[in-house]
Amino acid sequence: MTPEFAPPSDKALPIWPVAQGAPIPAQASAGTWPAATGFTGRRGEICLLPDAQGGLAGALFGLGDPAQATRERLGFARAAALPEGDWYLAAPVPDPDQAALGWLLGQYRFTRYKTAPAPKARLVCPEGADAARIQAIAAGEYLTRDLINTPASDMGPDQLEAAARDLAQAVGAEITVTSGEDLLAANFPMIHAVGRAAQQAPRLIDIRLGTEGPALTIIGKGVCFDTGGLDIKPPSSMGLMKKDMGGAATALGLLKMLAGTGAAQGRRIRLLIPAVENAIAGNAFRPGDVLTSRKGLTVEVNNTDAEGRLVLADALALAAEENPDLMISLATLTGAARVALGPDLPPFYCDDDRTAQALSDSAMAVADPLWRMPFWDPYEAMIEPAIADLDNAPPGGMAGSITAALFLRRFAEGAGRYVHLDIYGWQPAAAPCRPKGGVGQGARAILHALPRILP
């Protein structure tokens, strides 16, 4: 699908935004019809308005209580359920950009395997909204959702590389890929160890866009399927593991947004994706193995199901060698983050207060929620086992998201600033702007914060 607005037309029908409890605009000529249908202006509520001939004259759309708007400010996604035709906003809304983006995000459908009726209502971009920017942001989110929703049978490391190559070509970026046994020669031993048991070879995808300006490096976890390895997951935990490349998918969507909105200009953008499948075979890495990372730190593998931090570690070490001004990792990393904050609120970690505040502010501003968690130094001892430098899965299960973030920070040393997002990448039930299935988290917040965190 391609997110796009309808062209302006004198045949477009009006949508009258109405806050909960507010009077119906007199221009809507609605008479007693809204009251008769029970319309109150609740968020997302629609009241179709008839004309004198029994046709359709327009619609009322409920904004709800503006004081309680959070992510629901994008509730215009529900307006995509309007009847077929072109529509326009007949009155101003508090944030036309968010209203327009909500509409486009609500129209997303994943139709690769099953024909699903696409919404036939189209919106004329509201006055005051930046149509090109909004469409670019929606296109990036569509890419992320498509990649996550595609099952591992069609989205293994080979196909993830192909998607990365397509995007690199589209945005004018350079791309190099190191795969298979070449990973060992290039000193990416942990990426190789995690992915060597799969039919499709493990690889590191490296995309560069821009040659001047401050340097931003984004690292996305690309575990295309995670069985758990020899510490195999139960079926209840393995069923959604096609989404374990959600960090890579979100990173690619973010790159598409950066290029499409012009935010990549004047910056050096690098995107690294360690792409693997954590499979089971005779040559799979084992619990108790000690791996030597690219950085030289040794890692005792106490759980082969904590593989994401292993592949990210080699990629982070590579990224840190260039001392970028800002390094951001995106990963569907821990169940502990979901226990703490649920599927809808990803934690992020950052030692720099100004950067963290800018991200928190932007997350609220664009309804892409994030919640800051601490790199809690007293827990460093938890990731230091007896026989190696680091432990990939400390026993006890406490503070799992924090200890994973501390593990990654060891490999990010050298970057000017480091931010880690422990995302979920999945919408368990349909909500405004977010159909059930794959979803990007954090990309829009990063995009919005970029002028403050990497001017």
Side-chain angles (χ1 to χ4, degrees), residues 348-374:
F348 79 96
Y349 298 81
C350 179
D351 280 329
D352 184 77
D353 289 341
R354 293 181 63 184
T355 300
Q357 189 61 55
L359 272 175
S360 294
D361 292 345
S362 290
M364 290 297 294
V366 299
D368 187 15
L370 299 172
W371 191 263
R372 188 183 185 186
M373 294 272 279

Side-chain angles (χ1 to χ4, degrees), residues 52-358:
Q53 290 74 42
L56 192 58
L60 304 177
F61 184 83
L63 296 177
D65 182 355
Q68 297 179 358
T70 53
R71 201 176 221 175
E72 294 286 336
R73 79 189 68 180
L74 297 179
F76 267 95
R78 298 184 189 274
L82 286 165
E84 181 177 0
D86 293 347
W87 298 81
Y88 71 96
L89 297 184
V93 291
D95 192 333
D97 280 346
Q98 293 291 343
L101 179 61
W103 181 292
L104 293 184
L105 294 182
Q107 286 191 315
Y108 172 83
R109 300 290 186 275
F110 183 62
T111 59
R112 178 165 178 171
Y113 303 100
K114 180 180 180 180
T115 301
K120 296 181 179 180
R122 301 193 306 169
L123 180 70
V124 176
C125 188
E127 184 176 352
D130 187 337
R133 177 179 175 81
I134 294 164
Q135 288 176 145
I137 292 172
E141 175 64 16
Y142 277 29
L143 172 62
T144 294
R145 294 178 182 184
D146 281 348
L147 294 174
I148 297 175
N149 284 326
T150 304
S153 55
D154 291 319
M155 189 50 63
D158 288 350
Q159 292 81 16
L160 186 57
E161 177 187 333
R165 288 188 180 278
D166 288 344
L167 179 60
Q169 182 178 17
V171 303
E174 297 180 355
I175 182 170
T176 59
V177 178
T178 306
S179 63
E181 298 305 305
D182 290 343
L183 289 167
L184 294 176
N187 193 22
F188 299 113
M190 294 206 295
I191 298 175
H192 179 272
V194 172
R196 69 192 182 203
Q199 291 183 333
Q200 293 187 17
R203 66 207 65 197
L204 179 67
I205 300 165
D206 190 345
I207 301 174
R208 293 180 184 268
L209 179 63
T211 58
E212 297 181 352
L216 167 63
T217 300
I218 306 162
I219 302 95
K221 174 187 168 185
V223 178
C224 295
F225 193 81
D226 182 17
T227 64
L230 293 174
D231 288 311
I232 190 168
K233 293 177 181 289
S236 60
S237 298
M238 202 187 302
L240 274 183
M241 282 302 100
K242 69 175 184 178
K243 78 169 186 66
D244 212 19
M245 40 67 71
T250 301
L252 289 168
L254 175 56
L255 179 61
K256 190 176 182 71
M257 293 180 195
L258 291 169
T261 62
Q265 294 180 5
R267 297 182 173 95
R268 288 174 289 148
I269 310 294
R270 189 181 191 187
L271 177 56
L272 296 170
I273 296 174
V276 302
E277 180 179 348
N278 187 18
I280 299 172
N283 63 337
F285 73 121
R286 299 165 290 258
D289 283 357
V290 174
L291 306 177
T292 301
S293 68
R294 177 182 183 84
K295 190 172 182 177
L297 294 172
T298 56
V299 179
E300 183 178 358
V301 177
N302 283 311
N303 190 334
T304 61
D305 195 19
E307 83 300 329
R309 66 201 70 182
L310 300 177
V311 299
L312 286 169
D314 274 353
L316 286 166
L318 172 67
E321 290 166 10
E322 289 192 347
N323 307 117
D325 299 287
L326 177 63
M327 194 153 67
I328 300 175
S329 57
L330 295 155
T332 53
L333 202 61
T334 70
R338 312 290 81 77
V339 172
L341 297 174
D344 197 40
L345 184 58
F348 79 96
Y349 298 81
C350 179
D351 280 329
D352 184 77
D353 289 341
R354 293 181 63 184
T355 300
Q357 189 61 55

